[in-house]
Amino acid sequence: MPKLSNLSQGRGYLAIPGPSVMPEAVLNAMHRPAPNIYAGEIVDMMPPLMADLRRIAGTQHQVAMYIGNGHAAWEASLSNVVAPGDKVLVPATGRFGHGWGDAATGIGADVEVMDFGLQSTMDIDRIADRLEADTNHEIKAVLAVHVDTSTSVVNDIAGLRAALDAADHPALLMVDCIASFACDRFEMDNWGADVMVTACQKGLMVPPGVSFVFFNDRAAAVRDAMPRVSRFWDWTPRANPEEFYQYHCGTAPTHHIYGLRAALDMIHDEGLEAVWQRHETLARAVWAACDAWGAEGDLSLNIADPALRSHAVTALRLKAPHATELRDWVEGNIGLTLGIGLGMAPKGSPESHGFFRLGHMGHVNGQMIMGMLGGIEAGMSALGIKRGSGALEAAAKVIGGA
């Protein structure tokens, strides 16, 4: 039998759930000399850029930009509204809920975690009971992850707001949209979020390095009553700058701003509703293929109910060590990089080799998804992994509108 040729040369496909694929328009916009940061184009770009971010967030309120990743946005949001000793409630549905809770612990908060496991959405009724029991209103904020990137579950943020309102509870509703922003439908004002955090490297299609905190008037009032907020994390001058440098508490991330401008233009040219619809269709194509593969063999979607799955990322289970073997094969042989199973089992344990994730967020289209699925099919074939048939046909029917 002839030796298999290595087919990984050419442009690779990074199909992990962030950083996402970067459009040429974004990369080209960033490929320029450094601009003047005291006057001119870069200064004039900021007000409309911030307005366009608010459009995607679905808010009429304020936004602050930070040089940093999503973890920076976590800490920035907490530093403005949570004082040492304040109690926060974290309904966790994966690694990133626990991560935000750990960030709150780091600034001295009293963190209470309600762990809903790795395969389900948050239980709104259980949370409602906890809020009703908090008659002294000790809980100052609820930290909810809209889409947990590790498990690919999507949580009911509007339902969480309804539970807070029904309990007449004053806690701030704070939402992590790092994975879902510009991918899954999110409406900050209509859904009643007080604070929302996100970052640039997923649905916004910009290289990692910039993050954002959106906040409404209720959250601004809490910040104003804080005994102390550090100069760097303070969102007030960033959201309402009197001078350009205050947007970023110093030198601006100039090239990220150019890239972000190009990305926002792409999103608004397509239309946000169309962006959401594209992500939904491509996600359904991925699920259709996975359902077909899972009809025989050990592959299964981590979240069983399609209504509770994100349109940006899909977490999968495959008998260990086949998940790691599959990831290694497709990256080494055909140039396709799949996501690791983050937070699903202890790192390095035998069980950790039974999980992987597919990112389908941002700058992705039908032929890219079909290529990714075809690559996975090739890998399973090469490795002799048992699976059902008809996966690519099932995905093609979704994309073809059948």
Side-chain angles (χ1 to χ4, degrees), residues 4 10 31 35 65 72 86-87 96 119 128 136 156 166 168-169 181 254 274-275 311 363 379 385 389 402:
L4 178 69
H31 189 69
M65 181 185 295
D86 283 351
K87 177 179 278 294
F96 290 90
Q119 288 189 275
N136 292 329
D156 182 4
D168 196 23
H169 201 293
F181 196 69
T254 53
V275 170
H311 297 153
H363 190 55
I385 296 173
S389 61

Side-chain angles (χ1 to χ4, degrees), residues 121-369:
T121 188
M122 62 178 67
D123 186 330
I124 299 297
D125 290 338
R126 279 183 56 193
I127 299 170
D129 290 343
R130 178 65 186 93
L131 294 170
E132 289 281 0
D134 184 31
T135 54
N136 292 329
H137 295 162
E138 294 179 353
I139 298 170
K140 302 303 181 184
V142 178
L143 313 184
V145 177
H146 183 214
V147 167
D148 197 295
T149 326
S150 63
T151 61
S152 73
V153 70
V154 62
N155 286 304
D156 182 4
I157 301 304
L160 191 50
R161 165 48 65 194
L164 282 159
D165 291 346
D168 196 23
H169 201 293
L172 294 176
L173 175 53
M174 303 177 66
V175 184
D176 173 332
C177 287
I178 294 170
S180 60
F181 196 69
C183 299
D184 287 280
R185 180 180 292 275
F186 180 81
E187 302 175 38
M188 180 173 171
D189 292 352
N190 288 342
W191 292 3
D194 297 302
V195 178
M196 185 269 280
V197 303
T198 193
C200 68
Q201 72 271 20
K202 297 180 186 284
L204 288 177
M205 309 175 288
V206 176
V210 174
S211 58
F212 313 93
V213 180
F214 299 78
F215 59 97
N216 66 11
D217 293 344
R218 288 187 71 237
V222 173
R223 181 261 167 264
D224 289 344
M226 287 282 286
R228 179 185 65 84
V229 177
S230 76
R231 289 284 188 266
F232 186 80
W233 293 128
D234 192 353
W235 65 31
T236 302
R238 292 172 180 264
N240 303 280
E242 295 179 358
E243 297 184 56
F244 178 71
Y245 82 90
Q246 292 177 305
Y247 278 115
H248 306 99
C249 196
T251 304
T254 53
H255 291 68
H256 278 78
I257 292 172
Y258 282 113
L260 184 59
R261 179 66 271 164
L264 292 171
D265 289 344
M266 293 176 69
I267 291 169
H268 292 310
D269 286 347
E270 183 178 356
L272 188 56
E273 289 285 344
V275 170
W276 287 335
Q277 182 61 56
R278 171 167 53 85
H279 280 85
E280 178 185 357
T281 301
L282 297 178
R284 288 192 293 106
V286 170
W287 305 340
C290 292
D291 285 339
W293 284 322
E296 299 179 37
D298 298 308
L299 182 75
S300 63
L301 289 132
N302 186 56
I303 303 299
D305 185 349
L308 303 181
R309 297 176 193 153
S310 168
H311 297 153
V313 53
T314 295
L316 294 159
R317 294 168 174 255
L318 184 62
K319 185 177 180 181
H322 293 324
T324 296
E325 291 174 346
L326 178 62
R327 289 193 305 102
D328 289 346
W329 191 94
V330 297
E331 184 168 14
N333 288 278
I334 62 173
L336 171 64
T337 303
L338 308 178
I340 64 172
L342 192 62
M344 301 299 287
K347 184 178 180 180
S349 67
E351 296 79 14
S352 68
H353 299 291
F355 304 93
F356 68 108
R357 294 174 300 158
L358 309 178
H360 33 91
M361 53 177 59
H363 190 55
V364 289
N365 58 29
Q367 61 91 9
M368 294 168 69
I369 294 299

